[in-house]
């Protein structure tokens, strides 16, 4: 009897496999990091074969550690870092190039050119995204133009494109021996090639980037009991149906059971991703947010979201550790920041590779401003935590402006939420309570939920909603004046970072 659902969470820094029982409780997990390949300033790559190898290992090890076999797993869900582009040979399974990761900025000139004429507006309208280096299409174009033989292979139908979900589904279902080439609506909505209204690849968008349609996977619902096939049986993954696929931030939205319009979650990891469910309505942002597909379960209508994507939040804490050396582990930032009552006038804007939402300024670079001789490492540490919260405030304000929805509570998850001081600062800076669930692994849980809904393991969203429970809550403690003045200082600091580098 298969009593469990498995979930692969293929993230930017690591890949994990988790097993959940019918109550949504974790019964097994294994996680492995992969190399961050940084060939030049601004370039970030992953080795797709390493990711595939890690995926097989974590599945096998998690099952073994819990004394389970694949016969105990009713279905698998896959969730993944989004936008990251992989192009490979359908006959050999060998990638033509390393994966170009969502953080990579090599396609700056491609993005800029699109925004210099009408194409930028067409893309915004059809795909719901602003031209930026973040999305997959420019990365595919770069591979087609810079790697020998790929364009010809793509025209012949021998080169396949996929985000990490597609790469893993194809490999898990047999690879060159009949692997299924598929993606879901949420991942497709991040490529810049899908029309949000038709949920299909769009020829005009494909034309902007010179991408042959034959390279692209079939788009399916996020929860589907047949489209993604059955695992082929290598290394502990025998004959399990893959019935859920969705991007990691959308999976966290599902794991946080944000099923009603107006419900939102914020995930604090390498970057931050705040998603607001807007229901079956497509809300086009006028304030620098993305319009994206939140999920589609089976044949039901797709549910959309507004998203504020922030590139650098938890990774700014890593920078304090690795580059400045003022802490030796991420959790130490809390102790250091708690040594002072405030930042002593310091603001840190970690615009390491420009600013994502709501600014979309690739000409910005990081700045620490407001320094006086009085300031210490502790002020910088506290300013780093505040920067995570102020960037989230920027996107929350943009969401209110776009949708009219004023958050009543912010549901949070991700690695940084272990930092209680940061969560208190978030409540103070937003002026709304911050709430963290009992199961912090909302991303893997959301993928498991999508997979389990498809097979009837769970009956529907009402059953899932009943499983959500609060573990911790932080109430705002700042006065309105303090909140207003603090935010005004942040906006001034952001201004200082703009127009810093010449992207041409
Ligand atoms: N106690 C902490 N305080 C602040 N940041 C933290 C803390 N613990 C972890 N982090 C940050 O959280 C991030 C990892 O979170 P995680 O959710 O695993 O991210 P991802 O899925 O993006 O890899 C790292 O950038 C790390 O610096
Ligand atoms: O892998 P994560 O958790 O850093 O998430 C990355 C996002 O999907 C990028 O859009």
């Amino acid at each position: 009897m298969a009593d469990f659902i498995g979930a692969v969470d293929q993230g930017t820094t690591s890949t994990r496999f988790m097993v959940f029982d019918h109550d949504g409780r974790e019964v097994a997990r294994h996680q492995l990091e992969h190399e961050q390949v940084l060939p030049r300033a601004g370039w970030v790559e992953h080795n797709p074969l390493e990711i595939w190898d890690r995926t097989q290992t974590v599945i096998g090890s998690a099952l073994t550690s819990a004394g389970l076999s694949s016969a105990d797993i009713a279905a698998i869900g896959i969730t993944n870092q989004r936008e990251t582009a992989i192009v490979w040979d359908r006959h050999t399974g060998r990638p033509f190039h390393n994966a170009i990761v969502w953080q990579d900025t090599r396609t700056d000139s491609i993005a800029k050119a699109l925004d210099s004429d009408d194409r930028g507006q067409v893309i915004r309208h059809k795909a719901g995204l602003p031209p930026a280096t973040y999305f997959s299409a420019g990365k595919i174009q770069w591979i087609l133009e810079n790697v020998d033989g790929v364009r010809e292979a793509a025209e012949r139908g021998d080169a396949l494109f996929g985000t990490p979900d597609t790469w893993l589904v194809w490999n898990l279902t047999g690879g060159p021996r009949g692997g299924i080439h598929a993606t879901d609506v949420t991942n497709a909505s991040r490529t810049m090639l899908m029309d949000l209204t038709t949920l299909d690849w769009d020829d005009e968008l494909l034309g902007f980037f010179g991408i042959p349609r034959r390279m692209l996977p079939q788009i399916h619902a996020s929860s589907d009991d047949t489209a993604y096939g059955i695992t082929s049986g290598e290394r502990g993954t025998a004959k399990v149906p893959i019935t859920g696929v969705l991007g990691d931030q959308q999976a966290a939205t599902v794991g946080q059971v944000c099923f009603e319009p107006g419900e939102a979650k914020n995930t604090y990891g390498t970057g931050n991703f705040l998603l607001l469910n807007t229901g079956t309505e497509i809300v086009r942002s006028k304030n620098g947010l993305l319009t994206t597909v939140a999920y589609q379960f089976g044949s039901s209508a797709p549910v959309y979201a507004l998203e504020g994507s922030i590139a650098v939040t938890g990774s700014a804490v890593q920078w304090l550790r690795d580059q400045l050396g003022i802490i030796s582990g991420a959790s130490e930032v809390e102790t250091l920041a708690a040594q002072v009552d405030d930042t002593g006038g310091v603001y840190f804007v970690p615009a390491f590779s420009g600013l994502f939402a709501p600014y979309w300024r690739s000409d910005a670079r990081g700045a620490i401003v407001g320094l006086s001789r009085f300031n210490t490492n502790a002020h910088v540490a506290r300013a780093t935590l505040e920067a995570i919260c102020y960037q989230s405030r920027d996107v929350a304000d943009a969401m209110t402006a776009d949708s009219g929805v004023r958050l009543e509570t912010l549901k949070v998850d991700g690695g940084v939420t272990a930092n209680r001081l940061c969560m208190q600062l978030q409540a103070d800076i937003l002026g709304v309570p911050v709430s963290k669930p009992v199961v912090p692994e909302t991303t893997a849980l959301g993928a498991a939920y999508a997979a389990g809904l498809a097979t009837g393991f769970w009956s529907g969203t009402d059953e899932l909603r009943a499983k959500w429970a609060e573990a911790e809550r932080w109430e705002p403690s700042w006065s309105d004046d303090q909140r207003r003045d603090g935010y005004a200082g942040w906006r001034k600091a952001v201004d200082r970072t703009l127009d810093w580098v010449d992207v041409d």
Side-chain angles (χ1 to χ4, degrees), residues 61 119 138 400 430 445 470:
S61 306
R119 290 175 300 171
T400 302
L430 269 182
L445 185 63
E470 183 175 88

Side-chain angles (χ1 to χ4, degrees), residues 214-226:
R214 321 178 64 170
M215 297 179 75
L216 303 179
Q218 284 283 325
I219 304 173
H220 301 286
S222 320
S223 180
D224 188 305
D225 62 349
T226 54

Side-chain angles (χ1 to χ4, degrees), residues 122-421:
V122 174
I123 291 171
R124 281 185 179 83
H125 185 77
K126 285 190 167 175
L129 310 171
T133 58
Y134 182 23
F135 308 103
S136 318
K139 301 177 198 294
I140 307 171
Q141 180 181 345
W142 190 93
I143 292 174
L144 287 167
E145 289 176 353
N146 290 279
V147 183
D148 282 348
V150 183
R151 178 164 293 286
E152 296 73 17
E155 307 279 356
R156 285 196 309 270
D158 291 339
L160 303 180
F161 156 75
T163 37
D165 54 315
T166 302
W167 170 245
L168 293 181
V169 168
W170 188 79
N171 278 293
L172 282 165
T173 56
R177 294 168 307 285
I180 288 179
H181 190 217
T183 191
D184 90 306
V185 281
T186 70
N187 276 294
S189 75
R190 317 297 296 194
T191 58
M192 204 170 250
L193 299 171
M194 189 186 84
D195 183 327
L196 285 172
T197 55
T198 63
L199 302 181
D200 195 7
W201 306 121
D202 181 84
D203 286 328
E204 186 178 20
L205 296 177
L206 290 172
F208 290 167
F209 298 93
I211 296 173
R213 195 182 251 262
R214 321 178 64 170
M215 297 179 75
L216 303 179
Q218 284 283 325
I219 304 173
H220 301 286
S222 320
S223 180
D224 188 305
D225 62 349
T226 54
Y228 301 107
I230 294 175
T231 60
S232 70
E234 289 171 49
R235 290 171 64 181
T237 56
K239 309 287 177 224
V240 182
I242 301 169
T243 56
V245 172
L246 68 180
D248 55 9
Q249 302 309 322
Q250 285 88 343
T253 306
V254 171
Q256 288 271 29
V257 299
C258 294
F259 296 131
E260 291 297 322
E263 292 185 324
K265 68 87 205 178
N266 198 12
T267 299
Y268 299 68
T270 310
N272 265 34
F273 302 90
L274 178 48
L275 269 78
L276 172 76
N277 182 325
T278 60
T280 51
E281 190 191 349
I282 297 178
V283 178
R284 296 183 195 283
S285 178
K286 295 188 176 63
N287 295 284
L289 302 176
L290 312 179
T291 307
T292 202
V293 183
Y295 53 85
Q296 184 186 23
F297 296 147
S299 56
S300 57
V303 171
Y304 295 91
L306 278 171
E307 174 176 322
S309 325
I310 304 164
V312 178
T313 56
S315 52
V317 175
Q318 291 170 333
W319 183 75
L320 298 183
R321 183 194 64 193
D322 301 338
Q323 256 70 17
L324 295 194
I326 66 173
I327 51 173
S328 56
S331 60
E332 266 182 38
V333 71
E334 184 166 1
T335 329
L336 183 58
Q339 287 174 8
V340 287
D341 292 333
D342 55 44
T343 67
V346 173
Y347 286 89
F348 173 22
V349 185
F352 293 148
S353 48
L355 287 167
F356 279 16
Y359 304 102
W360 300 106
R361 292 287 296 257
S362 52
D363 59 354
R365 282 299 176 272
I368 299 178
V369 298
L371 289 168
S372 65
R373 187 144 185 206
F374 160 76
N375 294 125
T376 65
N377 287 349
H379 294 114
V380 173
R382 199 169 178 108
T384 307
L385 300 185
E386 287 199 358
I388 295 173
C389 305
Y390 278 124
Q391 292 188 95
S392 296
R393 161 89 189 257
D394 282 338
V395 296
D397 284 2
M399 261 169 200
T400 302
D402 273 338
S403 66
V405 174
R406 195 169 287 280
L407 292 177
E408 283 172 15
T409 307
L410 183 68
K411 286 179 167 177
V412 300
D413 52 69
V416 180
T417 64
N419 190 316
R420 293 190 164 89
L421 173 58

Side-chain angles (χ1 to χ4, degrees), residues 19-39:
V19 179
F20 296 95
D21 67 13
H22 198 266
D23 293 328
R25 278 193 300 248
E26 173 185 339
V27 296
R29 116 166 48 187
H30 192 64
Q31 177 168 352
L32 287 173
E33 294 196 353
H34 55 267
E35 189 188 352
Q36 303 297 309
V37 182
L38 309 169

